[in-house]
Amino acid sequence: MRIQSTALAFWAYAVSSLPLVTANQGLRRKLASNDCTIMAAERLVLEGEDDDEMIIQCEMHPDDADGIEGIFFELDFAGEQKNKMKDLIKSGQVTPGRDSLDIVGKNIEDKRVKFPPGLDVAASVKKNDDDGRRRLAVTKGDKPMLLVKVKDVNGLELSDTHEVMSDEVFGTNGDPGNLKTSLSACSHGQLTVVAGVGDPNEMAPGVVEVTIPISLLDNTDSTIRNAVTTALSTDLGISVPGDYQQVMYALEGCYGGGCGWAAYAYINSWNSVYNGNYYKAVGVQVHELGHNFNLAHSGGLNNSTYTDHTGAMGNPHYSDDLYQCFNVAKNFQLDWYDVQKSLLRSNPVTVRMSTGGQSPGGGDIFLGFNRATGPNQYNDEGDDLVTIVQVSSGTGTGYSQSYLRAKLGVGESHPLYNFGGTGKTVTVTVNSSTLNHLRALPSSQSPTI
């Protein structure tokens, strides 16, 4: 068939007006979108391992990912670019799962978006304060969830049956310690995990199985995760997250290098991935859902990443039934205790001391009573003590690493030097074992808090 020159000219104009991306051989192909959504994941690194590098990826428009929703491409940054993006995320200047990245003109190869060395990645960020995306870090009401049992091309899969897996996560057959019961207890009944949505593909409540056409033995974590997402769509017709708020991928194991992790989860998003039997450790489940809820890790008195054991965002319990709730800073960030937050008013559960980001150690400081009963009965640290926790930046309302600063019993005190950059010291003294008698006592005139 012959094409008239006028039609050809129109076609060339139309193509030139669409967003383009450089491909492998210097060709250019059309993109459905000018940008991709920034995604970041944190690994739960096993004790003795040191691979706690943040995973930074980008969720592509389905039309740029073979029509599949939920496909994440690697971001191929130079070292300084990756560190800059990590700093932007950890300081709260970039919100994963919401903000996007301009990828027009970037080279895309093997599901990797390559950024030229020297490019200012901060200038490529698009803030999406109100972009109409469905908020998935929902922490109240019913939360329908899906657990995906993964089988690889060689038949590697967890030995647990679908019914056992449903019980381990959702308590559908009487398991005493599971994600559903723990989050209900921690939220005082405000959050209800629901096993699935009744999809006909569910082989037990909230559980489906997929077979991926690649091996777990010799593929990267990212390749495996995308293969699971693709199989859900092509084999079962499930576009994740779809009607589910959170989706858990359960792998038989991790092989090769970089396998010193129990699980990893995407911040302020819908997905978490589990290594072997760690999917059924309720402490790991709560920890990973915490990341989905936009919670960062919790460090201890030694300033290490995971060493706060007063809550679930440190290194958690790895047992089948034991779990912890969250420390005082994470409780402030969650919306379960809004009526009991306080700026030093009477009878609070959580007290925030606003520093304006000017105090040594970072951002705002939080006080709370770490009661070792009820949902907190499996505390590992600071039982029935007042705890002082500081976030590394900001006011505690967004993603920020926190650090335990002190654990105080009756009659004990802790000084907060140069509070709020005033040059003055605020001393926290516990006059009673209950939080309603907590007082902040300045060593000289108290700054406004």
Side-chain angles (χ1 to χ4, degrees):
M1 182 179 70
R2 301 183 64 177
I3 301 176
Q4 296 297 322
S5 59
T6 52
L8 183 59
F10 174 79
W11 177 85
Y13 170 79
V15 169
S16 68
S17 66
L18 291 170
L20 300 171
V21 63
T22 304
N24 295 3
Q25 286 78 34
L27 302 176
R28 302 177 69 136
R29 65 177 176 84
K30 293 176 288 184
L31 282 176
S33 177
N34 289 326
D35 49 48
C36 58
T37 302
I38 298 168
M39 307 300 294
E42 294 276 24
R43 290 187 181 95
L44 175 55
V45 179
L46 299 171
E47 293 191 60
E49 301 287 344
D50 60 2
D51 183 16
D52 62 351
E53 183 78 0
M54 177 182 284
I55 302 167
I56 304 177
Q57 298 171 336
C58 230
E59 182 174 6
M60 305 301 292
H61 188 283
D63 290 345
D64 296 322
D66 300 320
I68 308 297
E69 292 188 25
I71 294 296
F72 300 168
F73 282 13
E74 298 282 343
L75 293 175
D76 201 346
F77 290 137
E80 68 278 5
Q81 292 170 324
K82 185 170 186 178
N83 290 335
K84 177 63 175 179
M85 182 60 71
K86 286 169 57 178
D87 290 344
L88 291 171
I89 293 170
K90 291 184 176 182
S91 65
Q93 297 177 69
V94 167
T95 301
R98 186 192 69 187
D99 295 336
S100 57
L101 203 59
D102 183 352
I103 57 173
V104 173
K106 306 302 186 294
N107 183 47
I108 293 184
E109 181 179 347
D110 297 327
K111 294 189 176 180
R112 301 179 71 88
V113 182
K114 295 179 178 291
F115 279 74
L119 182 71
D120 182 6
V121 295
S124 298
V125 172
K126 297 181 179 180
K127 297 293 293 180
N128 297 314
D129 294 330
D130 185 17
D131 63 348
R133 289 174 60 89
R134 183 160 65 95
R135 181 171 176 257
L136 296 172
V138 176
T139 56
K140 285 185 177 179
D142 289 347
K143 176 173 285 298
M145 290 187 57
L146 181 67
L147 174 64
V148 182
K149 182 179 183 180
V150 178
K151 179 192 291 186
D152 84 343
V153 69
N154 300 312
L156 281 175
E157 64 176 334
L158 290 163
S159 60
D160 290 344
T161 66
H162 306 113
E163 289 75 18
V164 166
M165 295 180 73
S166 178
D167 192 34
E168 293 285 0
V169 175
F170 305 116
T172 50
N173 196 33
D175 184 274
N178 55 75
L179 185 65
K180 179 183 177 73
T181 57
S182 59
L183 288 182
S184 176
C186 291
S187 68
H188 292 273
Q190 297 178 81
L191 179 63
T192 302
V193 170
V194 178
V197 296
D199 188 284
N201 291 293
E202 293 176 15
M203 306 179 83
V207 179
V208 299
E209 179 173 330
V210 297
T211 299
I212 57 176
I214 62 173
S215 171
L216 295 177
L217 302 178
D218 52 10
N219 281 284
T220 66
D221 296 338
S222 177
T223 300
I224 292 167
R225 188 211 156 272
N226 282 333
V228 176
T229 303
T230 299
L232 282 167
S233 177
T234 58
D235 296 350
L236 302 184
I238 298 175
S239 295
V240 286
D243 292 330
Y244 305 96
Q245 288 187 9
Q246 259 70 44
V247 184
M248 305 165 64
Y249 293 174
L251 309 178
E252 185 270 345
C254 173
Y255 298 88
C259 288
W261 51 272
Y264 65 90
Y266 287 88
I267 299 162
N268 192 41
S269 188
W270 55 269
N271 192 210
S272 54
V273 181
Y274 299 80
N275 182 1
N277 285 323
Y278 288 112
Y279 88 89
K280 57 187 174 185
V282 64
V284 175
Q285 296 168 5
V286 172
H287 181 103
E288 299 312 318
L289 264 290
H291 286 313
N292 285 167
F293 294 163
N294 204 32
L295 304 182
H297 284 138
S298 301
L301 296 172
N302 63 355
N303 285 327
S304 292
T305 303
Y306 299 100
T307 49
D308 176 9
H309 299 296
T310 67
M313 299 312 291
N315 214 315
H317 291 293
Y318 290 99
S319 116
D320 192 2
D321 296 321
L322 301 184
Y323 68 94
Q324 293 171 279
C325 295
F326 301 101
N327 73 15
V328 59
K330 309 308 186 193
N331 280 338
F332 187 90
Q333 184 178 343
L334 294 165
D335 54 1
W336 296 336
Y337 306 104
D338 280 353
V339 297
Q340 293 165 302
K341 293 176 181 177
S342 176
L343 281 170
L344 295 183
R345 289 190 287 269
S346 61
N347 300 317
V349 165
T350 303
V351 177
R352 176 171 67 91
M353 302 177 70
S354 178
T355 69
Q358 300 300 311
S359 284
D364 284 359
I365 296 168
F366 300 83
L367 314 178
F369 185 64
N370 197 33
R371 187 179 301 278
T373 188
N376 287 331
Q377 62 184 301
Y378 302 119
N379 276 350
D380 260 358
E381 183 179 16
D383 288 0
D384 292 324
L385 298 177
V386 170
T387 57
I388 302 177
V389 176
Q390 185 175 22
V391 294
S392 59
S393 62
T395 61
T397 57
Y399 185 83
S400 182
Q401 169 86 34
S402 65
Y403 293 98
L404 183 65
R405 297 304 187 202
K407 302 172 290 185
L408 305 178
V410 176
E412 295 183 319
S413 300
H414 180 75
L416 302 171
Y417 299 109
N418 191 24
F419 185 85
T422 62
K424 303 181 185 302
T425 298
V426 171
T427 301
V428 177
T429 300
V430 179
N431 293 327
S432 168
S433 60
T434 55
L435 190 60
N436 62 316
H437 288 109
L438 178 67
R439 296 176 182 174
L441 302 175
S443 57
S444 59
Q445 183 179 353
S446 174
T448 300
I449 52 179

